[in-house]
Amino acid sequence: MDKEYWKRIYQKQNEETLPSLFARSVTERLDVAGKRIIELGCGNGRDAIHFANHDAIVTAIDQCDNMIETLQYRFQRVETLQFECCDFTMLADGEPYDLVFSRFTLHSISEEQETNVLNWTIRNLKPGGHLCIEARGQKNEIYRIGQPVIDEPDAFILDGHYRRFINFNSFCKKLEHIGFNIEYAAEQKGFAPFNGDDETYMRIVASK
Ligand SMILES: C[S@@+](CC[C@H](N)C(=O)[O-])C[C@H]1O[C@@H](n2cnc3c(N)ncnc32)[C@H](O)[C@@H]1O
């Protein structure tokens, strides 16, 4: 979804390149050295690079071919950091991961796609592996702003861009129903201050 929107953003090359606070919190909480990590929707790769700098073995995927080609060229000699252009809602099962990381990507897909991603994750995580998610929930300041999406009550188009606002409590129950153990879950400000704004986001760390 919104592939052209993100391609235009990345063409401008003015987005943040430092690792997110979320990625930094993950490496403070978990020892990722030697661990297999997959990042769903890596954007300009800043968090994937952060995990690789912490000695993880990282596969980072995004739908934007322009960004992925740039990253593949830049990191072609780094065996532990692989970038792939694909749709993370349609991943095939394979060798299991220790950690699945999704920052600001779950709200860019439909609820049905979210269910597919969570089911794929539980099948493709090692026992004890972690799912780390940061996304827009219904306490986010722009919830219900924009044009409603037909048949998706919590999704809106704003500035030509799709966003679905996740119900935090229902989402936590859904994770538990699928088989995850929630280790940390919060919906609050302070997670992702950006350009002087400090919006409310949800952050969840769950294990299999
Ligand atoms: C808000 S950006 C977040 C980028 C990065 N995670 C970060 O926090 O800096 C969302 C990214 O998810 C990607 N994305 C959204 N839906 C996707 C999908 N179904 N498959 C692959 N990438 C997707 C977009 O192309 C975009 O790069």
Side-chain angles (χ1 to χ4, degrees):
M1 256 181 226
D2 280 358
K3 187 170 166 179
E4 295 309 317
Y5 171 90
W6 286 110
K7 283 177 82 162
R8 281 195 299 279
I9 297 270
Y10 298 134
Q11 266 154 9
K12 289 188 194 152
Q13 295 189 326
N14 61 356
E15 75 281 9
E16 181 60 81
T17 53
L18 290 173
S20 67
L21 293 181
F22 185 37
R24 285 185 249 177
S25 79
V26 167
T27 49
E28 279 163 22
R29 167 183 282 269
L30 304 169
D31 179 7
V32 300
K35 300 286 167 61
R36 296 190 77 235
I37 296 181
I38 183 165
E39 180 174 9
L40 311 180
C42 64
N44 68 359
R46 63 196 181 125
D47 289 340
I49 296 164
H50 173 74
F51 293 131
N53 285 340
H54 281 73
D55 299 322
I57 301 151
V58 185
T59 300
I61 60 183
D62 203 284
Q63 63 189 348
C64 285
D65 46 11
N66 59 345
M67 196 67 250
I68 290 294
E69 281 164 20
T70 303
L71 290 163
Q72 283 172 336
Y73 181 74
R74 192 171 147 208
F75 293 98
Q76 60 187 306
R77 291 191 217 292
V78 185
E79 277 180 21
T80 55
L81 182 52
Q82 298 296 316
F83 291 96
E84 291 173 21
C85 184
C86 63
D87 180 345
F88 68 70
T89 67
M90 299 181 69
L91 294 174
D93 290 355
E95 195 183 335
Y97 292 93
D98 296 288
L99 198 154
V100 175
F101 181 82
S102 157
R103 180 180 181 274
F104 282 27
T105 63
L106 220 54
H107 58 242
S108 64
I109 58 173
S110 69
E111 193 169 355
E112 188 182 348
Q113 290 173 317
E114 172 194 284
T115 303
N116 291 342
V117 169
L118 297 178
N119 284 326
W120 176 89
T121 300
I122 199 94
R123 288 196 308 274
N124 287 277
L125 264 185
K126 294 179 189 172
H130 287 87
L131 169 63
C132 302
I133 292 170
E134 191 168 75
R136 287 182 197 268
Q138 295 181 358
K139 288 192 180 151
N140 185 255
E141 285 69 8
I142 61 168
Y143 178 41
R144 294 205 171 102
I145 298 179
Q147 193 184 334
V149 177
I150 294 166
D151 293 336
E152 291 192 62
D154 297 317
F156 298 83
I157 308 284
L158 182 61
D159 298 331
H161 181 44
Y162 172 99
R163 294 181 185 89
R164 181 177 58 87
F165 296 81
I166 299 166
N167 182 295
F168 177 73
N169 290 329
S170 307
F171 185 74
C172 289
K173 283 190 193 131
K174 182 175 180 177
L175 285 175
E176 287 173 334
H177 179 73
I178 289 172
F180 290 98
N181 303 304
I182 295 179
E183 294 187 0
Y184 175 88
E187 186 177 29
Q188 62 186 54
K189 290 178 184 289
F191 286 152
F194 181 69
N195 274 353
D197 283 336
D198 186 10
E199 292 185 34
T200 307
Y201 296 102
M202 45 181 257
R203 190 183 272 189
I204 294 165
V205 177
S207 57
K208 176 173 167 180

